[in-house]
Amino acid sequence: MKSNDIAPLVRLSGQLQPDRLADQAAHAVREILAAAASANTTRSYASALRYWVGWFQGRYGQPLALPVPEAAVIQFIVDHLPRRTRTGQAWELPADLDALLVDSGLKQRRGPWSLATVIHRVAVLSTVHRLRQVTPNPAEAPAVRHLLARSRRAAVKQGVRARKKTALARPELEALLATCDDSLEGLRDRALLCFGFASGGRRRSEIAAADLADLRALPEGGYVYWLGHSKTQQAGPTAGSSPDKPVLGAAAQALTAWLQAAALTEGPIFRRLWGPRVGPGLSPKAVAAIIQRRAELAGLEGDFGGHSLRSGFVTEGARQGIALPALMAMTEHRAVVSVIGYFQAGTAVQNPAACLLGDDISLVPP
């Protein structure tokens, strides 16, 4: 990089402050808040908007204004998306600007992003244009759509796979439950794992938001939990499903044991603990941390987290031959495409087409 290319970046170092950037994007963030599905979505959208403002300022030396030029979006993509060259990976983001964005807290680390991150950032910019009814929307431009489509194909050819949390199907879940003793913490974690799995593979945010006001005990034993709000229920209950999610059998027993031990009668179901003291409700991040800690104690290898219960529920349901519509009624998945991967993973070894050779060892040469 030439010295005269570095100078504008140095001059901008005082402008790339997170607080100031947040102010510039505040109006757009407020509009996003009205449409956001959850706190996680809100945070990710706000972070993406701050980054767009900072990157644009650093790249072009002027404030971001709508509509964003189509050429700028294409530049954004090639700045952050790695590509293969004869000398290795390459991307176009200047090293000085990359460092400046990291130092300003707008970027976690130096280097390119994954395709999923780039697609998300472009989608956020597209949403801002739609909400403000600003045209043209650069994210919808044929050149931008074509570039992203080709990037997806290139990623597939290179063997890049979407990162998914390791599924906690029944065997793995039982291993986690075996680490839970009869202490107050053990009772809480056992109830949390069982509730999250048995009620339909609840998301970590849904587990954290679970409240006793929505829990109804059944005369014959067990509970029904009323899932009043979820990521897929913002526009009302999904077709063919009910907000009532049963918690029965061993899951109900674990939940009862926790509620009695913690003497809970109202408020959040799953709480922070300070020794024998029961505190306020858990955060979604704390729910994920509990799952990760129990997986570590169980000696399981994998990338476990809050979504592991959700994917594990579908995977285990498929293994046990539960129909996909019945599973989706519990999970509140609205599209088959978003759940079919886990379902197919659970039924892969049960596919009759995989057993065409049978078990006849005479087919195997000595």
Side-chain angles (χ1 to χ4, degrees):
M1 180 179 291
K2 299 178 181 179
S3 59
N4 59 345
D5 292 331
I6 299 176
L9 301 178
V10 175
R11 288 198 300 269
L12 288 171
S13 60
Q15 300 176 21
L16 285 175
Q17 298 298 323
D19 291 340
R20 188 173 302 175
L21 293 173
D23 291 340
Q24 293 181 32
H27 183 65
V29 170
R30 283 194 294 270
E31 292 179 331
I32 293 294
L33 290 175
S38 66
N40 288 336
T41 302
T42 300
R43 283 192 294 269
S44 70
Y45 272 45
S47 175
L49 288 172
R50 286 195 298 269
Y51 188 85
W52 268 106
V53 172
W55 171 83
F56 194 92
Q57 182 80 49
R59 205 61 162 107
Y60 298 104
Q62 58 188 19
L64 179 72
L66 301 184
V68 175
E70 175 185 329
V73 178
I74 293 176
Q75 186 67 55
F76 182 90
I77 295 172
V78 299
D79 271 4
H80 297 91
L81 199 60
R83 66 185 188 279
R84 286 184 177 179
T85 68
R86 293 180 179 179
T87 58
Q89 277 194 335
W91 55 96
E92 298 304 310
L93 185 65
D96 298 75
L97 178 55
D98 196 10
L100 190 56
L101 291 167
V102 172
D103 292 342
S104 299
L106 298 176
K107 199 167 182 274
Q108 287 188 350
R109 62 185 66 87
R110 299 187 188 187
W113 283 339
S114 68
L115 176 59
T117 301
V118 173
I119 290 175
H120 173 263
R121 295 296 167 93
V122 174
V124 169
L125 186 70
S126 179
T127 299
V128 172
H129 280 77
R130 289 199 306 271
L131 287 176
R132 291 192 174 184
Q133 299 181 341
V134 175
T135 57
N137 185 342
E140 298 297 329
V144 173
R145 294 169 66 90
H146 181 71
L147 179 58
L148 289 177
R150 289 291 182 178
S151 299
R152 291 188 184 96
R153 291 186 185 182
V156 171
K157 289 178 65 176
Q158 294 170 17
V160 177
R161 297 183 179 183
R163 292 182 298 176
K164 292 185 177 181
K165 293 298 182 182
T166 307
L168 278 173
R170 180 164 179 168
E172 294 79 17
L173 180 62
E174 289 177 345
L176 265 65
L177 294 175
T179 70
C180 300
D181 56 22
D182 291 331
S183 66
L184 196 58
E185 183 182 53
L187 292 174
R188 180 201 63 185
D189 292 359
R190 182 184 295 116
L192 184 152
L193 292 167
C194 288
F195 173 87
F197 184 91
S199 62
R202 301 271 60 88
R203 300 176 178 87
R204 65 179 190 173
S205 59
E206 295 166 355
I207 295 174
D211 195 279
L212 282 165
D214 299 320
L215 188 68
R216 174 167 56 89
L218 298 173
E220 63 274 20
Y223 301 91
V224 169
Y225 179 72
W226 186 75
L227 185 65
H229 178 81
S230 70
K231 182 178 180 180
T232 52
Q233 276 194 339
Q234 298 165 63
T238 56
S241 68
S242 167
D244 291 336
K245 308 301 175 187
V247 182
L248 307 173
Q253 296 172 19
L255 185 56
T256 299
W258 156 245
L259 293 176
Q260 291 179 349
L264 297 179
T265 58
E266 62 180 3
I269 295 177
F270 301 106
R271 311 288 192 96
R272 296 177 63 184
L273 295 174
W274 297 292
R277 292 176 53 202
V278 179
L282 293 173
S283 67
K285 185 176 181 180
V287 171
I290 289 172
I291 295 172
Q292 292 164 350
R293 175 173 173 270
R294 290 296 171 181
E296 184 178 353
L297 289 174
L300 299 182
E301 295 184 358
D303 185 14
F304 295 96
H307 206 76
S308 294
L309 291 172
R310 189 164 179 78
S311 57
F313 177 83
V314 177
T315 302
E316 184 61 34
R319 289 177 182 175
Q320 296 191 25
I322 307 299
L324 183 58
L327 293 173
M328 291 179 66
M330 288 287 288
T331 62
E332 295 293 336
H333 276 102
R334 306 186 73 168
V336 173
V337 67
S338 61
V339 70
I340 195 65
Y342 298 118
F343 187 81
Q344 290 176 340
T347 58
V349 297
Q350 299 173 4
N351 189 332
C355 303
L356 294 179
L357 287 179
D359 299 324
D360 191 346
I361 60 173
S362 65
L363 295 174
V364 182

